[in-house]
Amino acid sequence: MVQPRDLDIRTLYTLEAIHRLGSISAAADELGLSQPAVSHALRKLRHVFSDPLFIRAGTGITPTPRATQLAASARRIESLVNAEVNSATEFDPQQLRRKFRLLMTDPGELVLLPRLLRKIRSSAPQVTVESSSRPAGEMAEALDSGVADLAIGPFPELALSHLRQERLYRRSFLCLYASDHPTLSRKGLTLETYLGESHLSVRSTSRTEEIFEQFLAENGYTRNVVVTVPHMLSVPAVVRESDLIATVPQAVGAFFGNYPGIMAHRAPFLDEVSFPSTTVSQFWSARFEQDPAHVWLRSLVTGLFREPIAPPATNSCPELLIH
């Protein structure tokens, strides 16, 4: 049996970093240690637990079940230590040294992340941020385990989970097309012209577009989709140089609508009661409910993005809110 005196908490933190990053060199960079020091800590843990912990697999390393168990334990210990230390002193974001790991969609990274980073940098200059995406089925576990701190986005699966959550805002969809579109520049964007033209579709990990596709199917509408892309960043370039229409989340549409040669227009379905919208929320684990740094981060998100439950409706693009 392993005795507590056989362990150094710092070696467990090292193992957690290797497990999360999948690389000894990456763990060394994050922890500010030399690669030999990280390798030495790993050898010590292998001896204590009589387990290889990580094995070579192709060009990387793969954790053993024991390593995965220990990494989870290290995250729980780190969370407890942070909570105890922070509760004993007055919280000061200027002194905070911490990496916050966010789960976001690519529209969120495009529209929300810059504003959040600006606020974080002005209040806590020593804080770093890492944004990533995960499959829907893995996000709750990542938040509970501490691999991620906060999820911000339209995540319906998380809305039905055990996680803590706060609704931020609700938005619909916009259409993007070239300002010199051969048909729309003359006739405008109506339901008839929308259905008669060719379209660009985005199939991103955010899955926001699935809501719009479901609306079309349920109401018997069909589009001629000629191009499909996996993320939002290519949308303005493709739309500007083609005769395609892209239907995107409102935040993205309002953002790209400022690009030269791009027109943003409300979707021609807005008068229909069933026209869809998405709710953007922030989600976190109950484990971090009282963690002062976590509370501070959530308060920044709330202050920047939370809106009343029923914001005023609008039908013209210039009045649409960006986020």
Side-chain angles (χ1 to χ4, degrees):
M1 176 180 292
V2 176
Q3 298 296 325
R5 63 176 176 271
D6 297 328
L7 293 175
D8 180 341
I9 189 63
R10 291 172 296 181
T11 61
L12 284 181
Y13 289 167
T14 301
L15 179 142
E16 190 279 331
I18 299 171
H19 184 274
R20 174 165 42 80
L21 298 171
S23 165
I24 291 176
S25 59
D29 289 341
E30 179 174 291
L31 297 171
L33 300 173
S34 66
Q35 190 166 330
V38 172
S39 297
H40 176 74
L42 182 56
R43 285 195 299 271
K44 182 176 181 180
L45 287 171
R46 283 170 169 164
H47 174 74
V48 169
F49 291 101
S50 301
D51 189 281
L53 298 177
F54 298 93
I55 59 175
R56 290 288 176 186
T59 58
I61 56 176
T62 299
T64 66
R66 186 61 165 146
T68 297
Q69 180 187 40
L70 290 170
S73 298
R75 294 181 191 115
R76 289 194 294 269
I77 292 170
E78 184 176 18
S79 174
L80 177 62
V81 170
N82 285 338
E84 290 295 327
V85 170
N86 288 331
S87 65
T89 59
E90 183 177 350
F91 178 73
D92 179 7
Q94 288 285 332
Q95 303 303 316
L96 181 62
R97 293 177 177 269
R98 180 164 172 173
K99 173 182 283 189
F100 286 112
R101 301 177 180 90
L102 309 179
L103 300 178
M104 303 186 77
T105 62
D106 54 334
E109 289 181 341
L110 186 70
V111 179
L112 305 183
L113 186 57
R115 297 178 61 190
L116 180 58
L117 281 177
R118 188 183 307 118
K119 192 71 173 178
I120 290 175
R121 294 293 296 161
S122 65
S123 304
Q126 300 180 88
V127 164
T128 59
V129 175
E130 176 183 288
S131 176
S132 64
S133 62
R134 284 177 176 263
E138 297 179 9
M139 287 195 288
E141 180 181 354
L143 291 167
D144 279 334
S145 67
V147 169
D149 294 291
L150 202 61
I152 307 173
F155 302 124
E157 294 86 354
L158 297 187
L160 300 176
S161 73
H162 63 281
L163 294 169
R164 300 285 197 269
Q165 59 185 280
E166 179 186 26
R167 178 195 178 280
L168 299 173
Y169 60 85
R170 193 169 180 84
R171 290 289 184 270
S172 189
F173 294 84
L174 286 177
C175 297
L176 298 174
Y177 56 89
S179 56
D180 60 353
H181 191 286
T183 300
L184 303 183
S185 59
R186 294 185 293 106
K187 297 183 178 180
L189 184 63
T190 65
L191 181 57
E192 180 181 3
T193 56
Y194 180 88
L195 297 176
E197 295 300 313
S198 298
H199 292 260
L200 162 70
S201 177
V202 182
R203 298 286 185 180
S204 67
T205 55
S206 71
R207 299 172 57 197
T208 305
E209 300 75 22
E210 293 181 11
I211 299 174
F212 181 71
E213 297 290 348
Q214 183 179 355
F215 162 78
L216 294 177
E218 290 176 349
N219 289 274
Y221 297 124
T222 57
R223 296 185 299 169
N224 178 30
V225 176
V226 299
V227 178
T228 301
V229 296
H231 47 72
M232 296 289 178
L233 291 179
S234 60
V235 168
V238 174
V239 165
R240 186 169 48 198
E241 301 300 327
S242 70
D243 61 348
L244 303 180
I245 302 172
T247 305
V248 298
Q250 181 174 321
V252 177
F255 185 86
F256 286 148
N258 293 317
Y259 279 36
I262 300 290
M263 292 291 294
H265 196 285
R266 69 188 185 98
F269 310 95
L270 284 184
D271 293 334
E272 299 196 23
V273 175
S274 61
F275 190 72
S277 59
T278 59
T279 298
V280 172
S281 303
Q282 61 173 334
F283 303 87
W284 65 95
S285 172
R287 287 179 52 206
F288 304 101
E289 181 77 14
Q290 302 301 324
D291 176 22
H294 210 281
V295 172
W296 169 79
L297 176 64
R298 300 196 309 263
S299 70
L300 292 187
V301 174
T302 300
L304 285 171
F305 306 121
R306 185 176 179 180
E307 293 179 354
I309 295 298
T314 179
N315 290 326
S316 62
C317 230
E319 297 172 2
L320 289 171
L321 297 174
I322 188 71
H323 55 271

